[in-house]
Amino acid sequence: MAPCSIRAVKRNWSDLGDGPAGLIADRVLAYDVAGYIRSRAVCCSWRRCSAEPGAYGVLDGRFHPRRWVMLREPLAALNCNCHRHRFLNSSTGECVQVDIPELRDHEVLAPTAEGLLLLLHARKNVRLLNPLTGQLIKLPPLTTLLPRKYHHWLSAHNDHFDTDFTASGSGIADDDSTVVLCFYTLRMLGVAKPGDQSWTLLKFIDPLRTAPVMFAGRFYCITLDGVMVLEMDPPRLVLAAKRHMWISLDGSAHLVDNGGELMLVHRKLLTGYRRGYDLYRVDLGTKTLFPVNGLGGGRALFMGMYCSLLVPIEGFPSGSISGDTIYLSFDVEERGETEAYHLADKSISPTASCNLDGLAVQPHTLVDCLSLCNTVRREDNVDESEEDSY
């Protein structure tokens, strides 16, 4: 039998029509903006038939890098005026480097739930940046949110600025035009739209240690009254779910977006100065908290005192992260002794990467890197002089 001859057919992908190429670009963008940026860089014809991110505003949700988390950089790199930062895809484990020239003269207040960065220039001017597309907008000055008698808090001499003005829980409201700025330590919320001259201030009184969250475009927090949600027009907090557990002053409560499900973690003090962690599902329909025993099996929670990060374990090397586990960030008091709490059997994994003073020598594991992302008070808990790269 004569051998079959197979004709090699070559396809010039750059000659795709605008219709097919545009459809491919739309589908790539629907999954991840980083892949979309790469696809636009392939050739001129692909770039021509896909939307330029810079032509749209920062608030356009199509271009938000929701899956990407900015990793902490070594002090050596920061002191060298290097503004290339690493970003980790919390779903796939991919790591990329991004140049952010804005960080030459801006401080990072916090990342938002959408993957954007809230920046502060000269301790006054607020900006919102998409770190992957470079889109940037100006927001009202911080001095329009703070009463004048508190403007001295913005001074470079305020040693507690990083904790006073951590903006965890901030984000974009579901109207896609309003920014919610949260300084929860100061019990202060600001609401504004691009072009506004000032923030609309909402203050509240609450003695609890809690961590708020932006969930499905709405701001949620925990007060003595229960789980509260921010309603607009006018801005006010209203009850979203009743709180039936007692949160002591030496405990804390943390709201978490568990893949589209709002959860609450109650961190409590047990006998013998041990800590326990109870998990609840927040049912917004019935305004009730339901106790649950896990996060869904394939997810792990990295929990800090001010913010949290939930990741699927399948995107990371096998055995590096355990499912249904709460990993503590370095600003959590017991992190010096406890690295993780396993929800299934309520067991604890002791900290392995700390010295006798309870300080992280370096983030030499994936758990350390992700825990460090959510750490705010690093000066108290983390010695980063020997930070390694992940």
Side-chain angles (χ1 to χ4, degrees):
M1 180 182 297
C4 297
S5 61
I6 301 176
R7 180 186 300 175
V9 178
K10 294 184 179 181
R11 182 182 297 274
N12 186 354
W13 288 99
S14 64
D15 286 341
L16 279 178
D18 288 356
L23 179 60
I24 292 173
D26 289 343
R27 293 194 174 186
V28 172
L29 178 57
Y31 178 73
D32 181 30
V33 67
Y36 178 78
I37 294 172
R38 294 190 188 107
S39 71
R40 296 190 78 250
V42 170
C43 60
C44 293
S45 60
W46 284 25
R47 189 158 53 249
R48 184 182 62 249
C49 64
S50 57
E52 163 60 47
Y56 299 86
V58 178
L59 302 185
D60 192 324
R62 295 178 299 166
F63 304 104
H64 291 165
R66 291 180 176 84
R67 303 170 184 267
W68 294 90
V69 180
M70 187 169 74
L71 298 178
R72 297 297 182 99
E73 296 300 329
L75 278 180
L78 296 178
N79 291 337
C80 288
N81 246 349
C82 176
H83 300 288
R84 173 167 291 186
H85 286 256
R86 295 166 300 160
F87 283 76
L88 179 73
N89 188 312
S90 60
S91 296
T92 67
E94 178 187 5
C95 195
V96 300
Q97 296 189 34
V98 181
D99 286 320
I100 309 179
E102 289 81 5
L103 295 186
R104 292 190 182 98
D105 55 2
H106 288 73
E107 301 174 70
V108 178
L109 287 175
T112 72
E114 301 80 19
L116 308 177
L117 297 180
L118 271 166
L119 305 180
L120 186 64
H121 176 258
R123 294 282 174 98
K124 174 184 177 182
N125 304 306
V126 183
R127 308 283 190 263
L128 187 62
L129 172 72
N130 186 323
L132 297 193
T133 66
Q135 297 159 292
L136 181 74
I137 58 171
K138 296 180 180 180
L139 294 168
L142 204 53
T143 48
T144 66
L145 179 65
L146 281 177
R148 183 174 295 275
K149 64 180 179 179
Y150 297 130
H151 283 190
H152 66 278
W153 289 355
L154 301 175
S155 165
H157 302 294
N158 181 4
D159 295 333
H160 302 285
F161 181 86
D162 289 343
T163 50
D164 288 345
F165 289 93
T166 181
S168 302
S170 302
I172 301 173
D174 54 8
D175 64 359
D176 295 330
S177 64
T178 304
V179 177
V180 178
L181 180 62
C182 171
F183 295 129
Y184 206 73
T185 302
L186 303 177
R187 303 300 189 258
M188 184 181 298
L189 296 176
V191 176
K193 296 183 179 182
D196 287 350
Q197 298 302 308
S198 62
W199 295 91
T200 298
L201 172 64
L202 174 63
K203 293 205 65 169
F204 56 97
I205 299 175
D206 184 58
L208 301 179
R209 299 173 68 190
T210 64
V213 71
M214 284 293 292
F215 174 77
R218 307 188 76 185
F219 173 84
Y220 290 87
C221 64
I222 307 166
T223 70
L224 289 172
D225 296 321
V227 178
M228 310 296 288
V229 60
L230 176 64
E231 296 284 359
M232 305 293 186
D233 197 26
R236 65 199 186 281
L237 292 175
V238 301
L239 185 68
K242 299 176 182 177
R243 177 178 60 85
H244 57 74
M245 84 287 289
W246 170 253
I247 302 175
S248 62
L249 295 180
D250 51 18
S252 59
H254 309 253
L255 290 173
V256 180
D257 182 354
N258 182 24
E261 188 175 52
L262 186 60
M263 310 286 282
L264 183 151
V265 180
H266 179 205
R267 171 178 164 269
K268 59 186 182 180
L269 187 64
L270 305 176
T271 57
Y273 297 100
R274 295 179 297 110
R275 289 285 181 180
Y277 309 86
D278 294 334
L279 186 63
Y280 298 87
R281 177 173 61 86
V282 183
D283 190 320
L284 299 175
T286 62
K287 297 186 176 183
T288 308
L289 301 180
F290 291 98
V292 293
N293 297 319
L295 296 165
R299 301 188 185 99
L301 173 64
F302 290 82
M303 188 179 79
M305 288 304 298
Y306 299 87
C307 56
S308 298
L309 171 68
L310 193 134
V311 301
I313 65 173
E314 62 184 3
F316 298 92
S318 177
S320 59
I321 303 176
S322 300
D324 281 333
T325 299
I326 299 175
Y327 292 95
L328 303 180
S329 296
F330 293 103
D331 56 2
V332 179
E333 179 183 355
E334 60 270 24
R335 181 59 169 83
E337 297 80 30
T338 302
E339 179 177 273
Y341 178 82
H342 305 282
L343 292 164
D345 59 7
K346 302 186 186 303
S347 64
I348 288 177
S349 293
T351 295
S353 56
C354 291
N355 58 25
L356 295 178
D357 296 325
L359 305 178
V361 176
Q362 58 182 5
H364 63 278
T365 67
L366 176 61
V367 168
D368 286 344
C369 286
L370 293 174
S371 298
L372 200 54
C373 288
N374 297 326
T375 299
V376 174
R377 288 185 303 206
R378 305 172 68 197
E379 68 276 7
D380 294 336
N381 299 80
V382 180
D383 175 13
E384 53 177 14
S385 58
E386 298 184 52
E387 276 197 13
D388 202 359
S389 59
Y390 163 64

